[in-house]
């Protein structure tokens, strides 16, 4: 573990930003530029795919593919991001597990607010099942908003009477649009990326006037997780969304769900993206891969 690596990433994340609320176009362009700097591992190939009505990026290992499928949901506050911006994460999970991944290009707000993204993720899972893929060989995974989708999709899947996937892996998931976690205040200023105001800006686009007190918007405080598959929640101590993970883990334990709460010190939101630069990122991805290979059954 390297204090210098963590300090470098923190400083990089704190570079000055434009004053005022940025436009959707500016947010999306800035995120594309940020994620283009991340290291995508060798040993993968990508191809265009479709799951239900939505396009997806299929990410496969070049050598030694194992039977198993990751359905991946990219981050971006439900407003920005794409399968391409998440490729460092999906690529690293694929190379570490040997599983194929489908990274879904779900619809984004404000053009398509809640619940469009969840409709798309459920349709994608249904398409995998309809193709003959066994649910015990599928895991949901995602980062940030996509980590939230890995949980809310399971809620919607259960309500639809579909079989549950084998596991969930969520990197720094966003799980509470009520923004009532203590870390929203205790980590203010420590988090190099987010403020309460910036999260309110994008959150309003996604909710489009809906009350955040809904289990599909704030599962960390409202969801019944009965019957959920095993979950791995990874987060860093330097993020305002930390308590989204800690509170969901508590709800999971109360519902009798196997859950691993994996908190890394002094790292920011979705620190796993810095694989190849930050030792803690590679170590966390190794733990995620072990969790997945232990739970996915061919």
């Amino acid at each position: 573990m390297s204090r210098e690596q963590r300090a470098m990433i923190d400083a990089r994340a704190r570079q000055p930003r434009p004053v005022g609320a940025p436009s959707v176009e500016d947010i999306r362009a800035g995120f594309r530029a940020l994620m283009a700097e991340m290291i995508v591992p060798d040993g993968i190939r990508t191809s265009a795919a479709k799951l239900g009505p939505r396009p997806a990026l299929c990410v496969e290992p070049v050598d030694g593919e194992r039977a198993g499928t990751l359905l991946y949901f990219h981050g971006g506050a439900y407003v920005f991001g794409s399968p391409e911006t998440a490729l460092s994460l999906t690529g690293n999970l694929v190379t570490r597990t040997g599983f194929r991944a489908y990274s879904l290009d779900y619809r984004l707000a404000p053009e398509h607010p809640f619940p469009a993204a969840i409709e798309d993720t459920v349709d994608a899972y249904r398409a995998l099942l309809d193709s003959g893929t066994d649910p015990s060989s599928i895991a949901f995974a995602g980062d940030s908003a996509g980590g939230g989708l890995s949980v809310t999709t399971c809620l919607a899947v259960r309500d639809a009477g579909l079989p549950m996937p084998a596991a969930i892996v969520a990197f720094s998931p966003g799980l509470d649009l009520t923004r009532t976690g203590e870390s929203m205040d205790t980590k203010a200023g420590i988090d190099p990326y987010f403020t309460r105001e910036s999260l309110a800006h994008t959150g309003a686009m996604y909710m489009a006037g809906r009350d955040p007190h809904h289990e599909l918007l704030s599962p960390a405080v409202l969801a019944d997780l009965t019957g959920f598959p095993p979950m791995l929640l990874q987060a860093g101590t330097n993020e305002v969304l930390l308590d989204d993970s800690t509170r969901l883990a508590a709800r999971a334990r109360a519902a009798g769900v196997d859950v691993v709460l994996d908190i890394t010190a002094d790292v920011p939101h979705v620190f796993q993206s810095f694989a190849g630069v930050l030792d803690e990122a590679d170590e966390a991805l190794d733990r995620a891969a072990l969790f997945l290979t232990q739970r996915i059954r061919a």
Side-chain angles (χ1 to χ4, degrees), residues 157-169:
V157 160
R158 185 187 63 191
D159 290 347
L162 297 173
M164 285 291 195
I168 294 172
V169 168

Side-chain angles (χ1 to χ4, degrees), residues 263-287:
I263 307 298
T264 298
D266 299 327
V267 293
H269 187 69
V270 194
F271 66 96
Q272 299 88 344
S273 294
F274 292 97
V277 176
L278 178 67
D279 292 344
E280 289 88 342
D282 287 288
E283 292 162 2
L285 286 162
D286 285 343
R287 295 193 297 273

Side-chain angles (χ1 to χ4, degrees), residues 51 69-73 93 101-102 104 118 120-126 128-129 134-143 146-158 162-171 228-233 288 291-292 296:
L51 288 176
T69 300
L70 307 178
L71 182 55
Y72 196 88
F73 310 131
L93 287 177
Y102 289 99
L104 185 68
I118 298 172
D120 291 347
T121 57
V122 172
D123 284 344
Y125 182 55
R126 195 188 300 270
L128 284 176
L129 297 178
D134 193 303
S136 67
S137 69
I138 301 172
F140 294 169
D143 64 280
L149 280 172
S150 69
V151 173
T152 55
T153 301
C154 261
L155 289 168
V157 160
R158 185 187 63 191
L162 297 173
M164 285 291 195
I168 294 172
V169 168
F171 301 140
F228 259 50
M231 292 192 290
L232 171 64
L233 308 173
F291 178 87
L292 288 165
I296 287 183

Side-chain angles (χ1 to χ4, degrees), residues 178-209:
T178 71
R179 307 299 186 204
T180 53
E182 289 185 8
S183 58
M184 286 295 301
D185 297 315
T186 60
K187 301 300 181 179
I190 296 171
D191 188 322
Y193 289 120
F194 294 139
T195 64
R196 185 180 287 277
E197 292 72 25
S198 68
L199 291 171
H201 181 54
T202 51
M205 295 183 205
Y206 180 55
M207 289 188 290

Side-chain angles (χ1 to χ4, degrees), residues 40 52 59 82 107-108 160 169 174 195 199 222 227 229 253 255 276 296-297:
V40 176
V59 185
S82 68
R107 288 173 293 170
L108 299 175
V169 168
T195 64
L199 291 171
L222 293 167
R253 287 194 300 269
I296 287 183
R297 298 287 181 262

